[in-house]
C-alpha cells in the first residue's frame, strides 16, 4: 500500500500510542515508536506484534502480512530518531505545558515539511501550536481508545493550520481504516462536546431525587435504545477520566450552563469510587459484574379505579387506545369524577404544574411520558407528584404493567427522564452546528461511531420531532428557570417551522 505518509513517528507507548502505531503500520507506513521510557517501547512493540499474531491465527490477516507489519514497526531510542518522519503523532500526558515543551523540542529536529499532530482530547490545538515556528504544519488528530476498534478520528484545524494538512490527514485516516471527521478547534471538539448532555443531565435527575442510578439507566436503554445507561457508561470509562473532561469543557466555555458538571461525580472521584476498574462506582462489581437490585414488583391492586385522560395529553388518541387494550374503565367527561385516576402526558412540564393548570386533584394525578410512541419502547415511565396517593400510584403501575411491559415509577420531574435527556443531547448538538464547529453530517458520524448512540443526535431530534423537542426545552426551562435548557437558535428556528434538523441552508 502506498501510504500518504511513508514514515510516521508515534510518541507515547501507552494504549493510545500503541493503537495508533498499529494502524499506521497496517496502512503501509514505516512507524517509529518513541517513549521516554525505553522499556515501555519494547513492551509496546512486543504487544503490537502479539496482536498481529492473534489476527493471523484468526485468519483476519495472513502470516505474511503480520510479518510485514512487524518489519514496518521500529522502536526509537531517542527523539532525534524521528528526524526523517513525514508525520509525527503525539500521544503523551494531557497537559498543555508538557505538550508545548515537547513540540518546541521536536520541531527543530524534523524536516520543515513534516506534519506534527497532537492526539489531545480536550486541549486547544491553537494553544499547543502557539510557540511553534511553523504552526501551519500543526493540527489535532484525535483518536479514541481502543484505537483499532474505535473507527472515528477527529481532524482539528488550529487557527493557523493549512487546509491541505487537514485534507491529507483525513485521507490518511481512511488509509488506516478509520472514518475522519473535520472539527474546528473548540473545547471538546465534536465527540466530547456532543457527549455532554447524556451524563450531566442524568446526574441532575439523580441530584433532584427523581430516580436512582439503575432506574435511569433502564429507562434510557429501554425507551431510547442506548446500549449503556449513563451510569453504566461512567462506570466503564471511570470518573477519573470522565469528570475532569466535564470540568474542562465547562471551564473552557466560561461556565456555560449547558455543560455544568455535578457535585456527585466530584465527590465520588474524591472518594476513589470511580468505576468498574476499582470494583465500585455507581454500582458495585463482583468479578466484573455489576450488582444491581431487582426492579420493584408490580403492585397487586384488588379494585382498579376508573381512568380519565387529560384533553391536553401528548399522543392522546394513542394513550386512550392503549388504556382500552389494557382493559381500563375510561371516563369521557370534561373533568374526572371524584374516584378517577387522572392521567396527564405533558412535554417538559412536571405533573405538579399540569395538575394546577388543569385544576386536577393532585392526589389522584399521575403523569406518563408519551414523547415516544408506546409501540417503539420497551418500558413505560410514570411520574407521581408530591401529593399523589399511594393507592393511585399503585393502581397506575399495575394498570400499565398489565400486558407485561416494564414500568418505572419516578418522582415528579419536568420532562420525566427521557424527554429532558434527549432534549439536552439534541440541543447541544444543534448548538455545535450553530457554532459551525463541524458539518451536521460529520456530527452524526462522530457521535454514532465515537459514542455508540443508537442514532446521531440530529436524527434523534428528527425522529422524536424538532417541534416536540423544542417544546420540551421551553417548558423544562420554565419549570427549573435554568438557562442550561435554553434552545439553540439552530433548533429553535427549525423546530418552529417544522424543518429537519439536518437541513443546511443553501
Amino acid at each position: 500500500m502506498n501510504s500518504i505518509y511513508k514514515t510516521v513517528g508515534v510518541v507515547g507507548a501507552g494504549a493510545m500510542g500503541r493503537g495508533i502505531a498499529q494502524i499506521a503500520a497496517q496502512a503501509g507506513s514505516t512507524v517509529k515508536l518513541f517513549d521516554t521510557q525505553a522499556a515501555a517501547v519494547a513492551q509496546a512493540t512486543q504487544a503490537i506484534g502479539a496482536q498481529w499474531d492473534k489476527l493471523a491465527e484468526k485468519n483476519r490477516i495472513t502470516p505474511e502480512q503480520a510479518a510485514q507489519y512487524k518489519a514496518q514497526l521500529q522502536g526509537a531510542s531517542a527523539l532525534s530518531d524521528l528526524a526523517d518522519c513525514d508525520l509525527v503523532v503525539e500521544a503523551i500526558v494531557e497537559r498543555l505545558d508538557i505538550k508545548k515543551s515537547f513540540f518546541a523540542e521536536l520541531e527543530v529536529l524534523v524536516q520543515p515539511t513534516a506534519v506534527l499532530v497532537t492526539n489531545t482530547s480536550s486541549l486547544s490545538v491553537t494553544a499547543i501550536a502557539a510557540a511553534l515556528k511553523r504552526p501551519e504544519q500543526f493540527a489535532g488528530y484525535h483518536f479514541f481508545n481502543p484505537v483499532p476498534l474505535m473507527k472515528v478520528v477527529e481532524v482539528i484545524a488550529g487557527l493557523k493550520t493549512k487546509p491541505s494538512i487537514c485534507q491529507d490527514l483525513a485521507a490518511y485516516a481512511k488509509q488506516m481504516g478509520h472514518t475522519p471527521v473535520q472539527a474546528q478547534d473548540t473545547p471538546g471538539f465534536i465527540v466530547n462536546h456532543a457527549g455532554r448532555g447524556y451524563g450531566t443531565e442524568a446526574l441532575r435527575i439523580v441530584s433532584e431525587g427523581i430516580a436512582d442510578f439503575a432506574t435511569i439507566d433502564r429507562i434510557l436503554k429501554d425507551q431510547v435504545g442506548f446500549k449503556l445507561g449513563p451510569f453504566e457508561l461512567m462506570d466503564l470509562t471511570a470518573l477519573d477520566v470522565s469528570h475532569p473532561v466535564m470540568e474542562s469543557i465547562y471551564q473552557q466555555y466560561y461556565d456555560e450552563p449547558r455543560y455544568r458538571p455535578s457535585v456527585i461525580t466530584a465527590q465520588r472521584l474524591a472518594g476513589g469510587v470511580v468505576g468498574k476498574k476499582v470494583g465500585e462506582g455507581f454500582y458495585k462489581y463482583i468479578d466484573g459484574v455489576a450488582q444491581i437490585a431487582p426492579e420493584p414488583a408490580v403492585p397487586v391492586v384488588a379494585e382498579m379505579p376508573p381512568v380519565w385522560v387529560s384533553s391536553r395529553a401528548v399522543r392522546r388518541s394513542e394513550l386512550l387506545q392503549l388504556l382500552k387494550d389494557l382493559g381500563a374503565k375510561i371516563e369521557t367527561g370534561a373533568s374526572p369524577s371524584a374516584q378517577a385516576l387522572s392521567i396527564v402526558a405533558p412535554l417538559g412540564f412536571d405533573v405538579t404544574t399540569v395538575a394546577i393548570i388543569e385544576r386536577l386533584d393532585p392526589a389522584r394525578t399521575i403523569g406518563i411520558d408519551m414523547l415516544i410512541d408506546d409501540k417503539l419502547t420497551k418500558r413505560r415511565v410514570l411520574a407521581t407528584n408530591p401529593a399523589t396517593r399511594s393507592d393511585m400510584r399503585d393502581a397506575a403501575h399495575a394498570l400499565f404493567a398489565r400486558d407485561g411491559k416494564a414500568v418505572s415509577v419516578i418522582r415528579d420531574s419536568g420532562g420525566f427522564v427521557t424527554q429532558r435527556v434527549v432534549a439536552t443531547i439534541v440541543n447541544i448538538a444543534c448548538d455545535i452546528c450553530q457554532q459551525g464547529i463541524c458539518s451536521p453530517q460529520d456530527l452524526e458520524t462522530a457521535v454514532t461511531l465515537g459514542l455508540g448512540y443508537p442514532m446521531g443526535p440530529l436524527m434523534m431530534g428528527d425522529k422524536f420531532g424538532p417541534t416536540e423537542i423544542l417544546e420540551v426545552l421551553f417548558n423544562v426551562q420554565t419549570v427549573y428557570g435554568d438557562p442550561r435548557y435554553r434552545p439553540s437558535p439552530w433548533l429553535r428556528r427549525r423546530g418552529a417551522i417544522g424543518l429537519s434538523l439536518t437541513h443546511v441552508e443553501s
Side-chain angles (χ1 to χ4, degrees):
M1 181 187 297
N2 292 321
S3 176
I4 291 174
Y5 300 106
K6 293 182 178 179
T7 307
V8 175
V10 178
V11 180
M16 187 67 74
R18 291 198 304 269
I20 295 170
Q22 177 181 334
I23 63 172
Q26 291 169 190
S29 300
T30 296
V31 179
K32 297 183 177 183
L33 180 61
F34 172 75
D35 194 284
T36 53
Q37 302 294 322
V41 174
Q43 292 171 359
T45 52
Q46 184 177 6
I48 297 169
Q51 183 66 28
W52 284 323
D53 288 338
K54 288 182 181 178
L55 291 174
E57 290 172 7
K58 295 178 181 178
N59 295 319
R60 302 279 295 275
I61 60 175
T62 66
E64 291 77 16
Q65 285 176 310
Q68 180 185 348
Y69 297 156
K70 289 178 184 179
Q72 289 168 193
L73 177 61
Q74 306 169 8
S77 58
L79 191 61
S80 57
D81 291 344
L82 309 184
D84 63 341
C85 290
D86 305 306
L87 170 70
V88 179
V89 184
E90 166 270 311
I92 61 175
V93 64
E94 191 76 345
R95 276 182 49 183
L96 180 61
D97 57 339
I98 293 177
K99 289 183 188 290
K100 290 180 71 171
S101 175
F102 164 75
F103 279 110
E105 181 182 358
L106 177 65
E107 187 182 37
V108 300
L109 298 175
V110 299
Q111 52 198 335
T113 56
V115 176
L116 307 182
V117 298
T118 175
N119 185 58
T120 183
S121 62
S122 61
L123 299 175
S124 166
V125 172
T126 300
I128 296 172
L132 296 180
K133 295 178 181 178
R134 298 186 295 276
E136 68 278 1
Q137 295 288 115
F138 186 84
Y141 212 31
H142 181 212
F143 293 84
F144 295 81
N145 229 351
V147 176
L149 300 179
M150 297 292 284
K151 295 296 187 179
V152 65
V153 56
E154 294 174 320
V155 181
I156 305 108
L159 197 60
K160 297 183 179 180
T161 306
K162 285 194 301 186
S164 61
I165 297 296
C166 290
Q167 292 168 7
D168 288 346
L169 288 170
Y172 187 52
K174 292 179 181 178
Q175 286 190 340
M176 290 188 283
H178 278 47
T179 300
V181 290
Q182 302 272 358
Q184 295 299 315
D185 185 18
T186 51
F189 312 129
I190 305 174
V191 174
N192 282 330
H193 187 165
R196 291 312 88 218
Y198 193 43
T200 56
E201 193 60 30
L203 286 161
R204 285 182 65 84
I205 293 169
V206 165
S207 72
E208 294 168 19
I210 291 163
D212 60 21
F213 306 132
T215 299
I216 293 170
D217 280 349
R218 289 182 183 118
I219 289 171
L220 290 168
K221 288 190 295 182
D222 289 351
Q223 284 207 319
V224 188
F226 289 102
K227 295 176 183 176
L228 293 174
F231 299 104
E232 292 174 320
L233 181 60
M234 284 187 277
D235 269 2
L236 185 63
T237 58
L239 292 183
D240 55 346
V241 175
S242 57
H243 181 78
V245 173
M246 294 181 199
E247 287 190 328
S248 174
I249 293 177
Y250 177 63
Q251 291 162 3
Q252 288 184 77
Y253 270 107
Y254 300 101
D255 298 356
E256 163 57 55
R258 289 192 182 109
Y259 316 127
R260 188 185 301 121
S262 171
V263 295
I264 294 174
T265 49
Q267 183 185 53
R268 286 172 170 265
L269 176 58
V273 185
V274 299
K276 184 177 180 179
K277 68 181 181 181
V278 299
E280 185 175 5
F282 294 104
Y283 302 100
K284 289 186 177 181
Y285 294 83
I286 298 177
D287 296 328
V289 178
Q291 305 301 297
I292 304 174
E295 293 196 60
V298 177
V300 176
V301 177
E303 186 175 353
M304 194 68 67
V307 178
W308 177 89
V309 177
S310 166
S311 62
R312 303 181 186 182
V314 176
R315 298 183 185 271
R316 187 171 187 269
S317 61
E318 296 171 27
L319 179 54
L320 285 169
Q321 184 60 53
L322 172 61
L323 288 166
K324 289 178 184 177
D325 294 342
L326 294 172
K329 181 181 178 182
I330 300 171
E331 292 188 356
T332 58
S335 59
S337 69
Q339 295 76 39
L341 167 65
S342 299
I343 303 291
V344 298
L347 286 178
F349 281 125
D350 55 359
V351 178
T352 301
T353 300
V354 176
I356 293 169
I357 292 172
E358 300 194 24
R359 298 182 179 181
L360 302 173
D361 178 2
R364 296 182 290 109
T365 303
I366 292 278
I368 182 170
D369 187 355
M370 293 293 291
L371 172 68
I372 305 172
D373 187 339
D374 183 75
K375 298 182 182 65
L376 302 179
T377 69
K378 298 178 181 178
R379 179 175 298 271
R380 299 178 184 123
V381 178
L382 308 177
T384 60
N385 67 76
T388 302
R389 292 194 330 233
S390 59
D391 63 320
M392 289 293 168
R393 178 198 63 214
D394 290 349
H397 188 168
L399 173 61
F400 282 102
R402 274 183 173 174
D403 60 355
K405 185 171 285 193
V407 174
S408 291
V409 182
I410 64 173
R411 294 185 179 91
D412 210 359
S413 165
F416 299 87
V417 171
T418 293
Q419 289 181 22
R420 60 192 286 184
V421 171
V422 166
T424 301
I425 290 170
V426 173
N427 195 36
I428 288 174
C430 287
D431 214 54
I432 289 173
C433 293
Q434 185 66 46
Q435 294 179 46
I437 293 171
C438 64
S439 69
Q441 182 179 4
D442 275 0
L443 171 66
E444 298 290 272
T445 299
V447 170
T448 50
L449 292 179
L451 295 176
Y453 286 3
M455 66 196 83
L458 299 179
M459 184 180 293
M460 192 180 295
D462 280 346
K463 180 177 180 178
F464 301 138
T467 304
E468 286 74 15
I469 296 295
L470 185 62
E471 185 176 348
V472 169
L473 289 167
F474 277 137
N475 293 341
V476 170
Q477 188 176 13
T478 298
V479 171
Y480 291 104
D482 192 334
R484 103 186 239 106
Y485 301 110
R486 71 192 189 283
S488 166
W490 185 278
L491 172 61
R492 184 168 53 80
R493 291 168 183 144
R494 285 159 177 77
I497 57 179
L499 193 65
S500 167
L501 297 181
T502 58
H503 174 82
V504 180
E505 300 95 322
S506 58

